[in-house]
């Protein structure tokens, strides 16, 4: 199973809707950014984060999950 398929399958299991996503290679690293709507998520945010991190670990990748509030604070000028 591919990276995108594995991550989105875990999101679908939790009833998370992917609103937008991008993929690129930066400095020889694969980078995928996803904007997800968790308003109908069936699990706690921390459980979703743990599940996605474990999914990444199983593919020898790192997955970072962050709430929109934190993302916005980090990227505010």
């Amino acid at each position: 199973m591919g990276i995108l398929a594995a991550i989105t399958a875990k999101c679908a299991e939790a009833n998370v809707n992917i609103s937008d996503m991008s993929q690129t290679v930066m400095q020889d690293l694969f980078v995928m950014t996803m904007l997800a709507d968790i308003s109908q998520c069936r699990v706690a945010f921390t459980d979703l984060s743990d599940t996605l991190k474990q999914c990444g670990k199983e593919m020898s990748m790192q997955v970072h999950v962050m709430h929109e509030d934190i993302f916005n604070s980090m990227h505010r000028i």
Side-chain angles (χ1 to χ4, degrees):
M1 181 179 294
I3 299 165
L4 181 60
I7 295 295
T8 56
K10 295 295 182 188
C11 289
E13 288 172 12
N15 203 38
V16 171
N17 186 49
I18 306 304
S19 304
D20 194 10
M21 62 104 31
S22 66
Q23 299 177 86
T24 190
V25 176
M26 295 174 55
Q27 299 177 358
D28 298 326
L29 297 173
F30 171 76
V31 178
M32 179 171 65
T33 304
M34 300 174 80
L35 177 62
D37 178 358
I38 60 170
S39 63
Q40 302 297 314
C41 187
R42 294 186 192 118
V43 299
F45 181 79
T46 53
D47 293 338
L48 176 64
S49 177
D50 291 346
T51 297
L52 294 174
K53 287 178 183 182
Q54 181 60 37
C55 182
K57 192 176 195 178
E58 291 168 4
M59 295 183 288
S60 301
M61 304 185 100
Q62 292 182 10
V63 173
H64 300 277
V65 179
M66 118 181 18
H67 196 277
E68 180 183 16
D69 294 341
I70 294 174
F71 180 85
N72 288 338
S73 294
M74 289 175 53
H75 293 89
R76 190 173 298 145
I77 296 176

